[in-house]
Amino acid sequence: MRNHQTRRIVTGHDADGNAVILQDGPPPRVHTYGEARGTTFTELWATAAAPAPIRAGSSEPEDGPPVLPPPANGTRIRIVDFPPEDDSASVSPKEAKALFAEMGAGEASRHSGTNTRHAFMHRTESIDYGIVLDGEITLIMDIGETTVRAGDIVIQRGTNHGWANRSGKPCRVCFVLIDGVFDAKLAAL
């Protein structure tokens, strides 16, 4: 994987309504979760309403550490850098829940102890588009799994899943998350 800084270009309007580039440079919010695992989230942008308000200024998304799900009625785009997996992926249910809680999504953790398919299985009430930019990663479901490589796109529809980087090399994925609502049957699971 290329080791480079993500460049973010934000457009907007000047006082006269002309289209302009407001920001061009590294995103201001980068956070690494899990000391041993070291998965890094680079937050690019978020919206908190649909339709999303478009203002002349940049309306930079909220400060603070990134959270896993998108805002209610909103969207989120981020780059996630997954290091190769090692023994640090073996965590207790309590540790997995604590890590998801640090990401603002403690309820997302679906770790069920020794019967789980992966320590970081989780489910969010969102539609997520995962675009593998570099490397490869394994998408693990309750039943089945598949290897996803650079150029592949995953449409994650509120399903319980985990990501395992078994490749021995870093993997970079761009995620676009869209707030969703489970139907009653899925919400009860």
PDB file of all heavy atoms in Angstrom, residues 83-114:
ATOM      1  N   PRO A  83      -4.462  -2.483   9.329  1.00  0.00           N
ATOM      2  CA  PRO A  83      -3.165  -3.160   9.321  1.00  0.00           C
ATOM      3  C   PRO A  83      -3.379  -4.661   9.182  1.00  0.00           C
ATOM      4  O   PRO A  83      -4.482  -5.161   9.411  1.00  0.00           O
ATOM      5  CB  PRO A  83      -2.584  -2.810  10.690  1.00  0.00           C
ATOM      6  CG  PRO A  83      -3.776  -2.608  11.556  1.00  0.00           C
ATOM      7  CD  PRO A  83      -4.847  -2.023  10.664  1.00  0.00           C
ATOM      8  N   PRO A  84      -2.333  -5.397   8.812  1.00  0.00           N
ATOM      9  CA  PRO A  84      -2.469  -6.858   8.782  1.00  0.00           C
ATOM     10  C   PRO A  84      -2.851  -7.364  10.168  1.00  0.00           C
ATOM     11  O   PRO A  84      -2.406  -6.821  11.182  1.00  0.00           O
ATOM     12  CB  PRO A  84      -1.077  -7.349   8.392  1.00  0.00           C
ATOM     13  CG  PRO A  84      -0.390  -6.171   7.812  1.00  0.00           C
ATOM     14  CD  PRO A  84      -0.999  -4.953   8.432  1.00  0.00           C
ATOM     15  N   GLU A  85      -3.685  -8.384  10.196  1.00  0.00           N
ATOM     16  CA  GLU A  85      -4.141  -8.943  11.465  1.00  0.00           C
ATOM     17  C   GLU A  85      -3.070  -9.799  12.105  1.00  0.00           C
ATOM     18  O   GLU A  85      -2.305 -10.461  11.423  1.00  0.00           O
ATOM     19  CB  GLU A  85      -5.390  -9.799  11.225  1.00  0.00           C
ATOM     20  CG  GLU A  85      -6.555  -9.290  11.999  1.00  0.00           C
ATOM     21  CD  GLU A  85      -7.816 -10.045  11.723  1.00  0.00           C
ATOM     22  OE1 GLU A  85      -7.853 -11.273  11.922  1.00  0.00           O
ATOM     23  OE2 GLU A  85      -8.771  -9.396  11.290  1.00  0.00           O
ATOM     24  N   ASP A  86      -3.071  -9.787  13.429  1.00  0.00           N
ATOM     25  CA  ASP A  86      -2.196 -10.654  14.201  1.00  0.00           C
ATOM     26  C   ASP A  86      -2.973 -11.094  15.432  1.00  0.00           C
ATOM     27  O   ASP A  86      -4.195 -10.993  15.461  1.00  0.00           O
ATOM     28  CB  ASP A  86      -0.876  -9.947  14.562  1.00  0.00           C
ATOM     29  CG  ASP A  86      -1.098  -8.671  15.355  1.00  0.00           C
ATOM     30  OD1 ASP A  86      -2.170  -8.508  15.981  1.00  0.00           O
ATOM     31  OD2 ASP A  86      -0.195  -7.819  15.363  1.00  0.00           O
ATOM     32  N   ASP A  87      -2.296 -11.555  16.450  1.00  0.00           N
ATOM     33  CA  ASP A  87      -2.973 -12.050  17.652  1.00  0.00           C
ATOM     34  C   ASP A  87      -3.769 -10.981  18.383  1.00  0.00           C
ATOM     35  O   ASP A  87      -4.624 -11.295  19.200  1.00  0.00           O
ATOM     36  CB  ASP A  87      -1.959 -12.677  18.612  1.00  0.00           C
ATOM     37  CG  ASP A  87      -1.380 -13.963  18.054  1.00  0.00           C
ATOM     38  OD1 ASP A  87      -2.024 -14.577  17.171  1.00  0.00           O
ATOM     39  OD2 ASP A  87      -0.285 -14.360  18.500  1.00  0.00           O
ATOM     40  N   SER A  88      -3.526  -9.676  18.079  1.00  0.00           N
ATOM     41  CA  SER A  88      -4.251  -8.612  18.773  1.00  0.00           C
ATOM     42  C   SER A  88      -5.728  -8.608  18.399  1.00  0.00           C
ATOM     43  O   SER A  88      -6.532  -7.974  19.070  1.00  0.00           O
ATOM     44  CB  SER A  88      -3.628  -7.246  18.480  1.00  0.00           C
ATOM     45  OG  SER A  88      -3.819  -6.906  17.119  1.00  0.00           O
ATOM     46  N   ALA A  89      -6.115  -9.310  17.317  1.00  0.00           N
ATOM     47  CA  ALA A  89      -7.525  -9.389  16.937  1.00  0.00           C
ATOM     48  C   ALA A  89      -8.289 -10.330  17.851  1.00  0.00           C
ATOM     49  O   ALA A  89      -9.510 -10.365  17.831  1.00  0.00           O
ATOM     50  CB  ALA A  89      -7.659  -9.853  15.488  1.00  0.00           C
ATOM     51  N   SER A  90      -7.569 -11.084  18.676  1.00  0.00           N
ATOM     52  CA  SER A  90      -8.220 -11.975  19.634  1.00  0.00           C
ATOM     53  C   SER A  90      -8.487 -11.189  20.904  1.00  0.00           C
ATOM     54  O   SER A  90      -7.584 -10.965  21.705  1.00  0.00           O
ATOM     55  CB  SER A  90      -7.331 -13.180  19.936  1.00  0.00           C
ATOM     56  OG  SER A  90      -7.133 -13.934  18.770  1.00  0.00           O
ATOM     57  N   VAL A  91      -9.724 -10.755  21.061  1.00  0.00           N
ATOM     58  CA  VAL A  91     -10.104  -9.968  22.222  1.00  0.00           C
ATOM     59  C   VAL A  91     -11.338 -10.591  22.864  1.00  0.00           C
ATOM     60  O   VAL A  91     -12.079 -11.334  22.221  1.00  0.00           O
ATOM     61  CB  VAL A  91     -10.384  -8.491  21.864  1.00  0.00           C
ATOM     62  CG1 VAL A  91      -9.152  -7.822  21.299  1.00  0.00           C
ATOM     63  CG2 VAL A  91     -11.542  -8.373  20.891  1.00  0.00           C
ATOM     64  N   SER A  92     -11.558 -10.239  24.100  1.00  0.00           N
ATOM     65  CA  SER A  92     -12.740 -10.729  24.814  1.00  0.00           C
ATOM     66  C   SER A  92     -13.969  -9.960  24.341  1.00  0.00           C
ATOM     67  O   SER A  92     -13.840  -8.863  23.764  1.00  0.00           O
ATOM     68  CB  SER A  92     -12.556 -10.526  26.316  1.00  0.00           C
ATOM     69  OG  SER A  92     -12.651  -9.150  26.637  1.00  0.00           O
ATOM     70  N   PRO A  93     -15.170 -10.497  24.588  1.00  0.00           N
ATOM     71  CA  PRO A  93     -16.381  -9.752  24.254  1.00  0.00           C
ATOM     72  C   PRO A  93     -16.408  -8.376  24.920  1.00  0.00           C
ATOM     73  O   PRO A  93     -16.810  -7.396  24.307  1.00  0.00           O
ATOM     74  CB  PRO A  93     -17.503 -10.647  24.786  1.00  0.00           C
ATOM     75  CG  PRO A  93     -16.932 -12.022  24.752  1.00  0.00           C
ATOM     76  CD  PRO A  93     -15.468 -11.841  25.077  1.00  0.00           C
ATOM     77  N   LYS A  94     -15.936  -8.303  26.162  1.00  0.00           N
ATOM     78  CA  LYS A  94     -15.913  -7.024  26.886  1.00  0.00           C
ATOM     79  C   LYS A  94     -14.975  -6.031  26.195  1.00  0.00           C
ATOM     80  O   LYS A  94     -15.304  -4.850  26.053  1.00  0.00           O
ATOM     81  CB  LYS A  94     -15.474  -7.267  28.335  1.00  0.00           C
ATOM     82  CG  LYS A  94     -15.504  -6.040  29.198  1.00  0.00           C
ATOM     83  CD  LYS A  94     -15.112  -6.372  30.635  1.00  0.00           C
ATOM     84  CE  LYS A  94     -15.100  -5.120  31.484  1.00  0.00           C
ATOM     85  NZ  LYS A  94     -14.714  -5.413  32.866  1.00  0.00           N
ATOM     86  N   GLU A  95     -13.788  -6.499  25.761  1.00  0.00           N
ATOM     87  CA  GLU A  95     -12.826  -5.619  25.079  1.00  0.00           C
ATOM     88  C   GLU A  95     -13.371  -5.151  23.734  1.00  0.00           C
ATOM     89  O   GLU A  95     -13.207  -3.982  23.370  1.00  0.00           O
ATOM     90  CB  GLU A  95     -11.497  -6.346  24.882  1.00  0.00           C
ATOM     91  CG  GLU A  95     -10.734  -6.599  26.177  1.00  0.00           C
ATOM     92  CD  GLU A  95      -9.570  -7.561  25.982  1.00  0.00           C
ATOM     93  OE1 GLU A  95      -9.697  -8.540  25.212  1.00  0.00           O
ATOM     94  OE2 GLU A  95      -8.527  -7.314  26.615  1.00  0.00           O
ATOM     95  N   ALA A  96     -14.025  -6.047  23.003  1.00  0.00           N
ATOM     96  CA  ALA A  96     -14.602  -5.670  21.704  1.00  0.00           C
ATOM     97  C   ALA A  96     -15.687  -4.617  21.898  1.00  0.00           C
ATOM     98  O   ALA A  96     -15.729  -3.605  21.181  1.00  0.00           O
ATOM     99  CB  ALA A  96     -15.172  -6.894  20.992  1.00  0.00           C
ATOM    100  N   LYS A  97     -16.561  -4.827  22.863  1.00  0.00           N
ATOM    101  CA  LYS A  97     -17.637  -3.860  23.144  1.00  0.00           C
ATOM    102  C   LYS A  97     -17.045  -2.508  23.545  1.00  0.00           C
ATOM    103  O   LYS A  97     -17.532  -1.461  23.127  1.00  0.00           O
ATOM    104  CB  LYS A  97     -18.572  -4.389  24.211  1.00  0.00           C
ATOM    105  CG  LYS A  97     -19.833  -3.569  24.352  1.00  0.00           C
ATOM    106  CD  LYS A  97     -20.899  -4.351  25.094  1.00  0.00           C
ATOM    107  CE  LYS A  97     -22.242  -3.679  25.055  1.00  0.00           C
ATOM    108  NZ  LYS A  97     -22.935  -3.729  23.799  1.00  0.00           N
ATOM    109  N   ALA A  98     -15.968  -2.514  24.344  1.00  0.00           N
ATOM    110  CA  ALA A  98     -15.320  -1.271  24.770  1.00  0.00           C
ATOM    111  C   ALA A  98     -14.726  -0.520  23.579  1.00  0.00           C
ATOM    112  O   ALA A  98     -14.820   0.708  23.502  1.00  0.00           O
ATOM    113  CB  ALA A  98     -14.240  -1.560  25.808  1.00  0.00           C
ATOM    114  N   LEU A  99     -14.130  -1.247  22.640  1.00  0.00           N
ATOM    115  CA  LEU A  99     -13.568  -0.602  21.460  1.00  0.00           C
ATOM    116  C   LEU A  99     -14.675   0.031  20.616  1.00  0.00           C
ATOM    117  O   LEU A  99     -14.555   1.174  20.167  1.00  0.00           O
ATOM    118  CB  LEU A  99     -12.755  -1.584  20.625  1.00  0.00           C
ATOM    119  CG  LEU A  99     -12.027  -0.963  19.429  1.00  0.00           C
ATOM    120  CD1 LEU A  99     -11.026   0.091  19.881  1.00  0.00           C
ATOM    121  CD2 LEU A  99     -11.336  -2.025  18.622  1.00  0.00           C
ATOM    122  N   PHE A 100     -15.787  -0.689  20.427  1.00  0.00           N
ATOM    123  CA  PHE A 100     -16.908  -0.116  19.668  1.00  0.00           C
ATOM    124  C   PHE A 100     -17.513   1.068  20.425  1.00  0.00           C
ATOM    125  O   PHE A 100     -17.933   2.050  19.804  1.00  0.00           O
ATOM    126  CB  PHE A 100     -17.954  -1.175  19.340  1.00  0.00           C
ATOM    127  CG  PHE A 100     -17.564  -2.018  18.155  1.00  0.00           C
ATOM    128  CD1 PHE A 100     -17.133  -3.326  18.324  1.00  0.00           C
ATOM    129  CD2 PHE A 100     -17.608  -1.504  16.867  1.00  0.00           C
ATOM    130  CE1 PHE A 100     -16.757  -4.099  17.237  1.00  0.00           C
ATOM    131  CE2 PHE A 100     -17.233  -2.265  15.777  1.00  0.00           C
ATOM    132  CZ  PHE A 100     -16.800  -3.570  15.953  1.00  0.00           C
ATOM    133  N   ALA A 101     -17.544   1.007  21.751  1.00  0.00           N
ATOM    134  CA  ALA A 101     -18.052   2.138  22.543  1.00  0.00           C
ATOM    135  C   ALA A 101     -17.164   3.363  22.331  1.00  0.00           C
ATOM    136  O   ALA A 101     -17.667   4.488  22.231  1.00  0.00           O
ATOM    137  CB  ALA A 101     -18.130   1.764  24.017  1.00  0.00           C
ATOM    138  N   GLU A 102     -15.843   3.151  22.237  1.00  0.00           N
ATOM    139  CA  GLU A 102     -14.915   4.259  21.970  1.00  0.00           C
ATOM    140  C   GLU A 102     -15.232   4.907  20.626  1.00  0.00           C
ATOM    141  O   GLU A 102     -15.037   6.097  20.434  1.00  0.00           O
ATOM    142  CB  GLU A 102     -13.473   3.740  21.988  1.00  0.00           C
ATOM    143  CG  GLU A 102     -12.428   4.813  21.805  1.00  0.00           C
ATOM    144  CD  GLU A 102     -11.011   4.260  21.760  1.00  0.00           C
ATOM    145  OE1 GLU A 102     -10.786   3.110  22.169  1.00  0.00           O
ATOM    146  OE2 GLU A 102     -10.122   4.993  21.297  1.00  0.00           O
ATOM    147  N   MET A 103     -15.768   4.118  19.699  1.00  0.00           N
ATOM    148  CA  MET A 103     -16.156   4.623  18.374  1.00  0.00           C
ATOM    149  C   MET A 103     -17.584   5.159  18.369  1.00  0.00           C
ATOM    150  O   MET A 103     -18.139   5.421  17.312  1.00  0.00           O
ATOM    151  CB  MET A 103     -16.058   3.503  17.339  1.00  0.00           C
ATOM    152  CG  MET A 103     -14.689   2.988  17.064  1.00  0.00           C
ATOM    153  SD  MET A 103     -14.798   1.714  15.783  1.00  0.00           S
ATOM    154  CE  MET A 103     -13.444   0.679  16.223  1.00  0.00           C
ATOM    155  N   GLY A 104     -18.195   5.278  19.542  1.00  0.00           N
ATOM    156  CA  GLY A 104     -19.559   5.792  19.608  1.00  0.00           C
ATOM    157  C   GLY A 104     -20.610   4.789  19.172  1.00  0.00           C
ATOM    158  O   GLY A 104     -21.711   5.170  18.776  1.00  0.00           O
ATOM    159  N   ALA A 105     -20.294   3.493  19.227  1.00  0.00           N
ATOM    160  CA  ALA A 105     -21.220   2.471  18.738  1.00  0.00           C
ATOM    161  C   ALA A 105     -21.124   1.192  19.557  1.00  0.00           C
ATOM    162  O   ALA A 105     -21.019   0.101  19.008  1.00  0.00           O
ATOM    163  CB  ALA A 105     -20.946   2.189  17.264  1.00  0.00           C
ATOM    164  N   GLY A 106     -21.184   1.309  20.877  1.00  0.00           N
ATOM    165  CA  GLY A 106     -21.085   0.129  21.741  1.00  0.00           C
ATOM    166  C   GLY A 106     -22.139  -0.914  21.429  1.00  0.00           C
ATOM    167  O   GLY A 106     -21.885  -2.114  21.511  1.00  0.00           O
ATOM    168  N   GLU A 107     -23.324  -0.479  21.026  1.00  0.00           N
ATOM    169  CA  GLU A 107     -24.402  -1.406  20.698  1.00  0.00           C
ATOM    170  C   GLU A 107     -24.151  -2.151  19.384  1.00  0.00           C
ATOM    171  O   GLU A 107     -24.813  -3.145  19.105  1.00  0.00           O
ATOM    172  CB  GLU A 107     -25.749  -0.661  20.630  1.00  0.00           C
ATOM    173  CG  GLU A 107     -25.930   0.238  19.427  1.00  0.00           C
ATOM    174  CD  GLU A 107     -25.099   1.531  19.404  1.00  0.00           C
ATOM    175  OE1 GLU A 107     -24.534   1.915  20.446  1.00  0.00           O
ATOM    176  OE2 GLU A 107     -25.004   2.139  18.335  1.00  0.00           O
ATOM    177  N   ALA A 108     -23.204  -1.705  18.586  1.00  0.00           N
ATOM    178  CA  ALA A 108     -22.921  -2.345  17.295  1.00  0.00           C
ATOM    179  C   ALA A 108     -22.174  -3.671  17.456  1.00  0.00           C
ATOM    180  O   ALA A 108     -22.246  -4.537  16.595  1.00  0.00           O
ATOM    181  CB  ALA A 108     -22.112  -1.424  16.398  1.00  0.00           C
ATOM    182  N   SER A 109     -21.439  -3.821  18.566  1.00  0.00           N
ATOM    183  CA  SER A 109     -20.628  -5.017  18.777  1.00  0.00           C
ATOM    184  C   SER A 109     -21.507  -6.256  18.829  1.00  0.00           C
ATOM    185  O   SER A 109     -22.454  -6.335  19.592  1.00  0.00           O
ATOM    186  CB  SER A 109     -19.838  -4.892  20.081  1.00  0.00           C
ATOM    187  OG  SER A 109     -19.070  -6.050  20.293  1.00  0.00           O
ATOM    188  N   ARG A 110     -21.181  -7.244  18.011  1.00  0.00           N
ATOM    189  CA  ARG A 110     -21.951  -8.480  17.948  1.00  0.00           C
ATOM    190  C   ARG A 110     -21.087  -9.668  18.340  1.00  0.00           C
ATOM    191  O   ARG A 110     -21.310 -10.785  17.919  1.00  0.00           O
ATOM    192  CB  ARG A 110     -22.513  -8.689  16.538  1.00  0.00           C
ATOM    193  CG  ARG A 110     -23.283  -7.493  15.981  1.00  0.00           C
ATOM    194  CD  ARG A 110     -24.495  -7.196  16.774  1.00  0.00           C
ATOM    195  NE  ARG A 110     -25.577  -7.984  16.228  1.00  0.00           N
ATOM    196  CZ  ARG A 110     -26.825  -7.824  16.542  1.00  0.00           C
ATOM    197  NH1 ARG A 110     -27.174  -6.919  17.405  1.00  0.00           N
ATOM    198  NH2 ARG A 110     -27.753  -8.578  16.016  1.00  0.00           N
ATOM    199  N   HIS A 111     -20.082  -9.419  19.160  1.00  0.00           N
ATOM    200  CA  HIS A 111     -19.162 -10.463  19.613  1.00  0.00           C
ATOM    201  C   HIS A 111     -19.925 -11.416  20.514  1.00  0.00           C
ATOM    202  O   HIS A 111     -20.559 -11.004  21.470  1.00  0.00           O
ATOM    203  CB  HIS A 111     -18.009  -9.816  20.379  1.00  0.00           C
ATOM    204  CG  HIS A 111     -16.856 -10.739  20.635  1.00  0.00           C
ATOM    205  ND1 HIS A 111     -16.981 -11.890  21.354  1.00  0.00           N
ATOM    206  CD2 HIS A 111     -15.569 -10.660  20.274  1.00  0.00           C
ATOM    207  CE1 HIS A 111     -15.810 -12.482  21.432  1.00  0.00           C
ATOM    208  NE2 HIS A 111     -14.933 -11.745  20.791  1.00  0.00           N
ATOM    209  N   SER A 112     -19.873 -12.682  20.198  1.00  0.00           N
ATOM    210  CA  SER A 112     -20.615 -13.650  21.009  1.00  0.00           C
ATOM    211  C   SER A 112     -19.679 -14.684  21.636  1.00  0.00           C
ATOM    212  O   SER A 112     -20.015 -15.844  21.745  1.00  0.00           O
ATOM    213  CB  SER A 112     -21.680 -14.336  20.154  1.00  0.00           C
ATOM    214  OG  SER A 112     -21.074 -14.975  19.044  1.00  0.00           O
ATOM    215  N   GLY A 113     -18.499 -14.240  21.999  1.00  0.00           N
ATOM    216  CA  GLY A 113     -17.566 -15.143  22.685  1.00  0.00           C
ATOM    217  C   GLY A 113     -16.905 -16.116  21.730  1.00  0.00           C
ATOM    218  O   GLY A 113     -16.565 -15.774  20.610  1.00  0.00           O
ATOM    219  N   THR A 114     -16.752 -17.349  22.145  1.00  0.00           N
ATOM    220  CA  THR A 114     -15.989 -18.323  21.374  1.00  0.00           C
ATOM    221  C   THR A 114     -16.696 -18.740  20.086  1.00  0.00           C
ATOM    222  O   THR A 114     -16.072 -19.293  19.207  1.00  0.00           O
ATOM    223  CB  THR A 114     -15.706 -19.576  22.222  1.00  0.00           C
ATOM    224  OG1 THR A 114     -16.953 -20.118  22.663  1.00  0.00           O
ATOM    225  CG2 THR A 114     -14.838 -19.241  23.410  1.00  0.00           C
TER     226      THR A 114
END
